Amino acid sequence: MIELISKSLCTKCNLCVAVCPTNVFDKVDGSLPIISRQSDCQTCFMCELYCPVDALYVAPEADCSVEVEENQLSSTGVLGSYRSVIGWNPRRPLSDAKDKSYKMFEAMAQSEGIPMSPPTK
Ligand code: SF4
Ligand code: SF4
């Protein structure tokens, strides 16, 4: 669920307002958007993905709001980490080497008796 818009990082571009599929944010003239309908958040991460300055944090908890602290999110590199993993952040190196989700598909394929192709790289 969306938990944070950083006052210090947000550039008021309103991209998050535009991409949110459930209209969670309200645009505010001359200021950063506000999270007006947090309970409508679908935890889709689109706002975090599109924010060009990593000013948003969407917590993985989809069913409840959790308390977050911006300094901690920032110091642990969590702000913008989803965008980085997806490869949309040119300022951060790709982290696909750390992505272990292929193990899940490997296990699913094995349980179904489906042969997996060997990695190409
Ligand atoms: S995570 Fe998705 S639904 Fe939630 S505020 Fe961001 S764009 Fe909207
Ligand atoms: S996309 Fe990011 S920088 Fe733009 S308004 Fe939303 S939080 Fe601020």
Side-chain angles (χ1 to χ4, degrees):
M1 189 175 282
I2 178 72
E3 296 294 353
L4 175 86
I5 302 178
S6 167
K7 285 185 183 134
S8 58
L9 296 175
C10 177
T11 58
K12 310 175 184 106
C13 71
N14 287 312
L15 262 176
C16 54
V17 181
V19 300
C20 177
T22 53
N23 198 27
V24 164
F25 304 99
D26 274 335
K27 185 178 166 186
V28 180
D29 284 343
S31 186
L32 65 164
I34 51 174
I35 302 169
S36 296
R37 289 162 292 277
Q38 188 184 28
S39 61
D40 288 347
C41 176
Q42 303 296 299
T43 318
C44 70
F45 293 93
M46 283 301 110
C47 53
E48 197 175 308
L49 197 54
Y50 276 85
C51 178
V53 292
D54 299 336
L56 288 161
Y57 177 65
V58 179
E61 289 82 2
D63 297 327
C64 61
S65 178
V66 294
E67 206 167 311
V68 297
E69 212 276 298
E70 183 175 344
N71 284 342
Q72 192 196 8
L73 295 174
S74 187
S75 65
T76 52
V78 174
L79 277 183
S81 60
Y82 179 66
R83 194 160 156 262
S84 177
V85 167
I86 297 293
W88 280 28
N89 189 340
R91 296 188 303 276
R92 286 189 179 191
L94 277 174
S95 54
D96 56 343
K98 295 181 194 163
D99 181 7
K100 301 294 180 225
S101 58
Y102 73 91
K103 287 181 176 289
M104 177 180 72
F105 297 110
E106 216 169 49
M108 286 163 62
Q110 269 174 11
S111 71
E112 296 295 326
I114 301 167
M116 288 276 288
S117 305
T120 53
K121 58 178 181 179

